[in-house]
Amino acid sequence: MNTYPKFAVVGHPNKGKSSIVSTLCMNDEITISKIPGTTTKSRSFPLKVDGKIIYELYDTPGFQNPRRILEWLKTEDVSAHRKSQRIKSFVDEFADDVKYKDDIELLKPILSGAGIIYIVDGSKPYGSEFEVEMEILRYCGAPSMAIINTIGEKDFTKDWENALTHYFKMVRIFNPMKANFPQIIELLKSMSHMNEKWIKPIEEALEILKNNRVSNIKQTSQIIAQIIYKIINYRYSVNYNDSNKEIMRQKAINVYKKNIDKMEQDAFKEILSVWRHKNIKLNNYNNILADIELFSKESISLFGLDKKSIVALSASTGAGMGGGVDILSAGGSLGAGVLIGGVLGGVAGIIGVNKVLDDRLISFLGKKQITLGPLKDTQLLFVVLYRLLFFSIEIAQRPHANRKDVEINSSLKDELKITSDLKKDINKLHKKLYKSDKYKKEYSELLFEYLKKELKS
Ligand SMILES: Nc1nc2c(ncn2[C@@H]2O[C@H](COP(=O)(O)OP(=O)(O)O)[C@@H](O)[C@H]2O)c(=O)[nH]1
Ligand SMILES: [Mg+2]
């Protein structure tokens, strides 16, 4: 059943029609272009939430021949109640005329019941030539409103308001590139008042949109919590010998960094998808750890195993025969960040705790190993977290007409307004998240509350 409201977005080429459709339908796959005449067909874009269409907008080409159309309409003098019939006659008569292709594309959805949203650019001077197209729209007799979208620097809004109120009951100022969520909601409310029948469905739609937003914030928090958990616990190990120690160390650092980058990128992508942004490039983000002295003493462990330390380890873990020797956990007791990775973990089972280690084993372990991670460095985790939060806030506030890269700069900390109490709570959870995903829920809820507050406006 087609009971949801429909709107045809019309106006001159290059006034931001496609931008407005993009923002209101939360769809960043609609082509926006500097080149006038890019949109040549009327195309409808529904806003779907949970599989349900809540309204639909038609992106239309601009008028091409408004003067000739108005002349034709006026060749027969009809009273107001028959004027929309005149439009229909025009569309029927010129249906196959390529000259009027764009104009007809634009009029068709209006004839089939869509409300008119007329877009003008408030940064360009008003001119009476616009009256021709406004006259035609008035002929349609459809519910209508006008939107002033100020694209450039200059401001002729007042002139436009004065002129538009002669033709439209409602005139609103709206910038599809900058609009935030409350402004979108306000505009949709105005649109609902174009037609009494639309008030209720749009009210319901707004309720759905608001709930959906909260659920998006929740999902975003969960994504961040999951990725931070993964980053904290991520380890990478390589074996080395005395001749290739430096090379292997550098290699390990590179792989570790690359994988952390990848995790962050994946989180960015998931966040973009939650917020329905498909066209934002992530080219600038593969440098998460580049400028940070990550591999300081605390966060890197070069662990060349010798007989003495194996004995010490075996003793300190109290490991028994037959596998399951928890040598990994002994890492903690050897100092922050020190970890013995998979190789030792794998052979641990054959090390009898109180058994004297034989030479064979020593030489095997003598391969030596470097392990990077887990990332227990609290400052670093905050850098990672701040980037994710900043990115999330940017994306959540972004209208879909805006597809620019998100700039992540170095002063995130100041921009994010994180109180020292919150920072302490986060820090505690970061510590608990090491090895235990039990605290992921608590962590994501903390982030959820924070993001909800930040995204109020
Ligand atoms: N700065 C700015 N540019 C805008 C705004 N709205 C549209 N534009 C730009 O104007 C051009 C035309 O926009 P588009 O939505 O394709 O217009 P249409 O031809 O009416 O569909 C594009 O280059 C947009 O990026 C706006 O509110 N601010
Ligand atoms: Mg367009």
Side-chain angles (χ1 to χ4, degrees):
M1 275 228 301
N2 292 345
T3 52
Y4 48 83
K6 294 172 192 165
F7 304 92
V9 180
V10 302
H12 258 45
N14 242 22
K15 301 298 172 198
K17 296 186 294 297
S18 298
S19 305
I20 283 182
V21 174
S22 170
T23 290
L24 295 184
C25 290
M26 302 179 186
N27 179 339
D28 74 346
E29 292 178 304
I30 295 167
T31 312
I32 294 174
S33 167
K34 280 198 185 70
I35 305 153
T38 304
T39 313
T40 57
K41 272 213 157 293
S42 284
R43 235 193 102 185
S44 73
F45 294 96
L47 175 64
K48 260 194 204 171
V49 180
D50 299 335
K52 190 176 167 244
I53 298 181
I54 62 181
Y55 52 77
E56 193 166 55
L57 268 74
Y58 288 86
D59 191 15
T60 72
F63 276 112
Q64 289 298 326
N65 307 285
R67 263 173 220 291
R68 265 184 255 152
I69 298 171
L70 190 61
E71 264 166 37
W72 187 92
L73 292 171
K74 281 184 169 169
T75 50
E76 209 172 288
D77 195 17
V78 296
S79 49
H81 74 295
R82 291 198 47 237
K83 281 195 162 146
S84 69
Q85 192 55 44
R86 263 318 263 165
I87 297 279
K88 188 165 180 325
S89 304
F90 172 82
V91 168
D92 288 343
E93 183 150 342
F94 294 93
D96 299 322
D97 190 331
V98 285
K99 196 167 68 195
Y100 293 110
K101 208 170 126 282
D102 285 6
D103 305 285
I104 287 173
E105 276 295 316
L106 183 163
L107 292 168
K108 268 200 280 193
I110 302 172
L111 284 174
S112 67
I116 296 169
I117 299 181
Y118 182 63
I119 314 292
V120 300
D121 178 357
S123 66
K124 298 269 167 59
Y126 175 73
S128 56
E129 69 271 21
F130 291 94
E131 287 164 20
V132 181
E133 45 189 50
M134 292 195 284
E135 280 274 349
I136 298 172
L137 293 174
R138 200 152 62 175
Y139 249 85
C140 297
S144 66
M145 76 183 283
I147 291 180
I148 304 174
N149 169 29
T150 304
I151 296 183
E153 296 298 309
K154 294 215 171 100
D155 187 10
F156 298 97
T157 309
K158 206 70 222 145
D159 292 349
W160 277 106
E161 274 177 334
N162 291 340
L164 290 167
T165 43
H166 284 275
Y167 294 88
F168 300 91
K169 273 197 307 259
M170 259 188 297
V171 178
R172 294 287 181 273
I173 294 169
F174 184 78
N175 186 319
M177 292 285 183
K178 294 186 190 142
N180 59 24
F181 187 68
Q183 285 165 340
I184 292 172
I185 294 286
E186 269 316 299
L187 184 69
L188 289 169
K189 264 189 207 157
S190 302
M191 282 159 60
S192 78
H193 287 282
M194 281 161 58
N195 183 339
E196 219 187 328
K197 276 193 235 149
W198 293 340
I199 296 177
K200 200 160 170 279
I202 293 201
E203 252 171 28
E204 286 166 9
L206 297 187
E207 222 29 58
I208 296 176
L209 281 181
K210 285 179 195 164
N211 291 338
N212 184 247
R213 189 167 171 83
V214 175
S215 132
N216 288 351
I217 299 173
K218 183 150 218 157
Q219 279 186 59
T220 304
S221 320
Q222 286 162 348
I223 292 167
I224 299 178
Q226 169 62 20
I227 213 69
I228 292 282
Y229 169 76
K230 260 176 85 176
I231 288 178
I232 290 176
N233 289 288
Y234 175 65
R235 291 190 291 262
Y236 181 74
S237 308
V238 289
N239 295 329
Y240 69 87
N241 54 42
D242 289 336
S243 63
N244 67 7
K245 182 172 168 183
E246 246 333 287
I247 297 165
M248 293 313 280
R249 181 176 172 276
Q250 206 45 54
K251 200 179 142 214
I253 288 174
N254 289 342
V255 173
Y256 180 85
K257 277 185 175 183
K258 211 177 91 207
N259 288 338
I260 297 271
D261 277 343
K262 169 93 175 45
M263 287 184 228
E264 190 199 37
Q265 292 248 334
D266 288 347
F268 283 151
K269 281 182 199 153
E270 278 182 65
I271 291 164
L272 285 174
S273 141
V274 165
W275 295 97
R276 302 175 185 227
H277 279 281
K278 298 175 182 157
N279 271 311
I280 292 174
K281 303 277 175 300
L282 290 172
N283 303 334
N284 297 336
Y285 306 116
N286 44 12
N287 281 322
I288 179 170
L289 302 175
D291 302 327
I292 300 160
E293 197 32 72
L294 172 59
F295 301 99
S296 56
K297 267 207 299 280
E298 301 93 79
S299 22
I300 192 169
S301 62
L302 268 174
F303 211 87
L305 286 177
D306 56 21
K307 194 172 181 173
K308 217 172 90 204
S309 42
I310 289 171
V311 173
L313 267 172
S314 304
S316 70
T317 55
M321 285 286 284
V325 181
D326 189 14
I327 279 183
L328 285 183
S329 68
S333 65
L334 295 173
V338 176
L339 241 217
I340 310 155
V343 172
L344 181 55
V347 297
I350 58 168
I351 304 172
V353 181
N354 298 315
K355 210 168 163 232
V356 180
L357 298 163
D358 64 33
D359 288 339
R360 209 158 30 96
L361 191 55
I362 293 295
S363 80
F364 177 66
L365 293 170
K367 265 182 179 166
K368 300 179 183 174
Q369 187 176 70
I370 167 173
T371 298
L372 303 178
L375 187 48
K376 290 204 222 155
D377 183 312
T378 54
Q379 287 317 309
L380 245 159
L381 277 173
F382 273 104
V383 173
V384 180
L385 176 65
Y386 287 163
R387 283 169 61 104
L388 287 160
L389 289 175
F390 182 83
F391 183 84
S392 303
I393 291 167
E394 271 288 308
I395 291 303
Q397 284 175 331
R398 231 169 219 244
H400 289 72
N402 178 357
R403 293 136 195 208
K404 282 192 298 246
D405 279 356
V406 180
E407 264 179 55
I408 292 189
N409 58 42
S410 53
S411 59
L412 295 183
K413 214 170 20 186
D414 313 323
E415 288 186 35
L416 281 171
K417 290 179 272 179
I418 293 190
T419 62
S420 58
D421 278 350
L422 178 59
K423 200 174 167 187
K424 264 185 221 150
D425 290 344
I426 291 174
N427 198 22
K428 265 186 226 152
L429 282 167
H430 281 171
K431 288 196 173 119
K432 290 181 180 168
L433 278 169
Y434 169 57
K435 288 182 101 183
S436 170
D437 70 355
K438 249 192 356 228
Y439 297 94
K440 230 162 45 186
K441 190 151 179 286
E442 193 182 328
Y443 186 57
S444 88
E445 269 157 22
L446 192 67
L447 300 178
F448 177 52
E449 290 307 318
Y450 168 76
L451 283 173
K452 256 198 315 197
K453 230 189 285 160
E454 284 298 297
L455 289 171
K456 267 265 144 50
S457 61

PDB file of all heavy atoms in Angstrom, residues 14 16-19 31-33 38-39 59-61, ligand 2:
ATOM      1  N   ASN A  14      21.123  22.795 -10.527  1.00  0.00           N
ATOM      2  CA  ASN A  14      22.242  23.232  -9.680  1.00  0.00           C
ATOM      3  C   ASN A  14      21.861  24.076  -8.465  1.00  0.00           C
ATOM      4  O   ASN A  14      22.636  24.939  -8.042  1.00  0.00           O
ATOM      5  CB  ASN A  14      23.242  24.020 -10.533  1.00  0.00           C
ATOM      6  CG  ASN A  14      24.577  23.306 -10.551  1.00  0.00           C
ATOM      7  OD1 ASN A  14      24.648  22.110 -10.298  1.00  0.00           O
ATOM      8  ND2 ASN A  14      25.629  24.039 -10.824  1.00  0.00           N
ATOM      9  N   GLY A  16      20.793  22.457  -5.644  1.00  0.00           N
ATOM     10  CA  GLY A  16      20.893  21.579  -4.486  1.00  0.00           C
ATOM     11  C   GLY A  16      19.720  20.626  -4.329  1.00  0.00           C
ATOM     12  O   GLY A  16      19.475  20.115  -3.233  1.00  0.00           O
ATOM     13  N   LYS A  17      19.002  20.375  -5.400  1.00  0.00           N
ATOM     14  CA  LYS A  17      17.863  19.437  -5.306  1.00  0.00           C
ATOM     15  C   LYS A  17      18.336  18.053  -4.899  1.00  0.00           C
ATOM     16  O   LYS A  17      17.819  17.464  -3.954  1.00  0.00           O
ATOM     17  CB  LYS A  17      17.133  19.344  -6.661  1.00  0.00           C
ATOM     18  CG  LYS A  17      16.495  20.638  -7.095  1.00  0.00           C
ATOM     19  CD  LYS A  17      15.678  20.450  -8.364  1.00  0.00           C
ATOM     20  CE  LYS A  17      16.540  20.091  -9.588  1.00  0.00           C
ATOM     21  NZ  LYS A  17      17.490  21.158  -9.956  1.00  0.00           N
ATOM     22  N   SER A  18      19.326  17.556  -5.647  1.00  0.00           N
ATOM     23  CA  SER A  18      19.816  16.202  -5.327  1.00  0.00           C
ATOM     24  C   SER A  18      20.416  16.159  -3.920  1.00  0.00           C
ATOM     25  O   SER A  18      20.307  15.155  -3.217  1.00  0.00           O
ATOM     26  CB  SER A  18      20.853  15.747  -6.357  1.00  0.00           C
ATOM     27  OG  SER A  18      20.267  15.674  -7.639  1.00  0.00           O
ATOM     28  N   SER A  19      21.041  17.268  -3.519  1.00  0.00           N
ATOM     29  CA  SER A  19      21.613  17.324  -2.162  1.00  0.00           C
ATOM     30  C   SER A  19      20.521  17.196  -1.103  1.00  0.00           C
ATOM     31  O   SER A  19      20.694  16.497  -0.101  1.00  0.00           O
ATOM     32  CB  SER A  19      22.358  18.643  -1.952  1.00  0.00           C
ATOM     33  OG  SER A  19      23.330  18.820  -2.951  1.00  0.00           O
ATOM     34  N   THR A  31      23.578  11.011  -6.849  1.00  0.00           N
ATOM     35  CA  THR A  31      24.615  11.826  -7.489  1.00  0.00           C
ATOM     36  C   THR A  31      24.379  13.315  -7.266  1.00  0.00           C
ATOM     37  O   THR A  31      23.321  13.847  -7.579  1.00  0.00           O
ATOM     38  CB  THR A  31      24.633  11.541  -9.006  1.00  0.00           C
ATOM     39  OG1 THR A  31      24.628  10.138  -9.176  1.00  0.00           O
ATOM     40  CG2 THR A  31      25.841  12.159  -9.661  1.00  0.00           C
ATOM     41  N   ILE A  32      25.401  13.943  -6.707  1.00  0.00           N
ATOM     42  CA  ILE A  32      25.393  15.404  -6.552  1.00  0.00           C
ATOM     43  C   ILE A  32      26.508  15.908  -7.439  1.00  0.00           C
ATOM     44  O   ILE A  32      27.608  15.359  -7.416  1.00  0.00           O
ATOM     45  CB  ILE A  32      25.676  15.793  -5.093  1.00  0.00           C
ATOM     46  CG1 ILE A  32      24.534  15.331  -4.193  1.00  0.00           C
ATOM     47  CG2 ILE A  32      25.894  17.285  -4.952  1.00  0.00           C
ATOM     48  CD1 ILE A  32      24.789  15.548  -2.722  1.00  0.00           C
ATOM     49  N   SER A  33      26.244  16.930  -8.230  1.00  0.00           N
ATOM     50  CA  SER A  33      27.281  17.330  -9.176  1.00  0.00           C
ATOM     51  C   SER A  33      27.284  18.825  -9.455  1.00  0.00           C
ATOM     52  O   SER A  33      26.238  19.475  -9.465  1.00  0.00           O
ATOM     53  CB  SER A  33      27.089  16.555 -10.477  1.00  0.00           C
ATOM     54  OG  SER A  33      27.868  17.128 -11.481  1.00  0.00           O
ATOM     55  N   THR A  38      22.926  17.145 -14.550  1.00  0.00           N
ATOM     56  CA  THR A  38      23.365  15.777 -14.248  1.00  0.00           C
ATOM     57  C   THR A  38      22.171  14.842 -14.014  1.00  0.00           C
ATOM     58  O   THR A  38      22.184  13.696 -14.402  1.00  0.00           O
ATOM     59  CB  THR A  38      24.275  15.771 -13.008  1.00  0.00           C
ATOM     60  OG1 THR A  38      25.353  16.654 -13.265  1.00  0.00           O
ATOM     61  CG2 THR A  38      24.819  14.391 -12.730  1.00  0.00           C
ATOM     62  N   THR A  39      21.156  15.382 -13.346  1.00  0.00           N
ATOM     63  CA  THR A  39      19.958  14.577 -13.110  1.00  0.00           C
ATOM     64  C   THR A  39      19.040  14.734 -14.315  1.00  0.00           C
ATOM     65  O   THR A  39      18.594  15.842 -14.597  1.00  0.00           O
ATOM     66  CB  THR A  39      19.227  15.052 -11.832  1.00  0.00           C
ATOM     67  OG1 THR A  39      20.193  15.203 -10.798  1.00  0.00           O
ATOM     68  CG2 THR A  39      18.159  14.075 -11.407  1.00  0.00           C
ATOM     69  N   ASP A  59      13.805  12.931  -6.935  1.00  0.00           N
ATOM     70  CA  ASP A  59      14.834  13.845  -7.409  1.00  0.00           C
ATOM     71  C   ASP A  59      14.506  14.103  -8.872  1.00  0.00           C
ATOM     72  O   ASP A  59      14.347  13.164  -9.643  1.00  0.00           O
ATOM     73  CB  ASP A  59      16.209  13.168  -7.285  1.00  0.00           C
ATOM     74  CG  ASP A  59      17.346  14.154  -7.514  1.00  0.00           C
ATOM     75  OD1 ASP A  59      17.095  15.373  -7.483  1.00  0.00           O
ATOM     76  OD2 ASP A  59      18.475  13.689  -7.733  1.00  0.00           O
ATOM     77  N   THR A  60      14.373  15.357  -9.249  1.00  0.00           N
ATOM     78  CA  THR A  60      13.934  15.648 -10.617  1.00  0.00           C
ATOM     79  C   THR A  60      14.967  16.489 -11.361  1.00  0.00           C
ATOM     80  O   THR A  60      15.793  17.154 -10.749  1.00  0.00           O
ATOM     81  CB  THR A  60      12.609  16.449 -10.602  1.00  0.00           C
ATOM     82  OG1 THR A  60      12.886  17.780 -10.151  1.00  0.00           O
ATOM     83  CG2 THR A  60      11.576  15.814  -9.705  1.00  0.00           C
ATOM     84  N   PRO A  61      14.933  16.440 -12.702  1.00  0.00           N
ATOM     85  CA  PRO A  61      15.775  17.369 -13.455  1.00  0.00           C
ATOM     86  C   PRO A  61      15.157  18.763 -13.300  1.00  0.00           C
ATOM     87  O   PRO A  61      14.005  18.881 -12.926  1.00  0.00           O
ATOM     88  CB  PRO A  61      15.630  16.881 -14.897  1.00  0.00           C
ATOM     89  CG  PRO A  61      14.563  15.859 -14.926  1.00  0.00           C
ATOM     90  CD  PRO A  61      14.062  15.621 -13.556  1.00  0.00           C
TER      91      PRO A  61
HETATM   92 MG    MG B   2      20.357  16.913  -9.379  1.00  0.00          MG
END
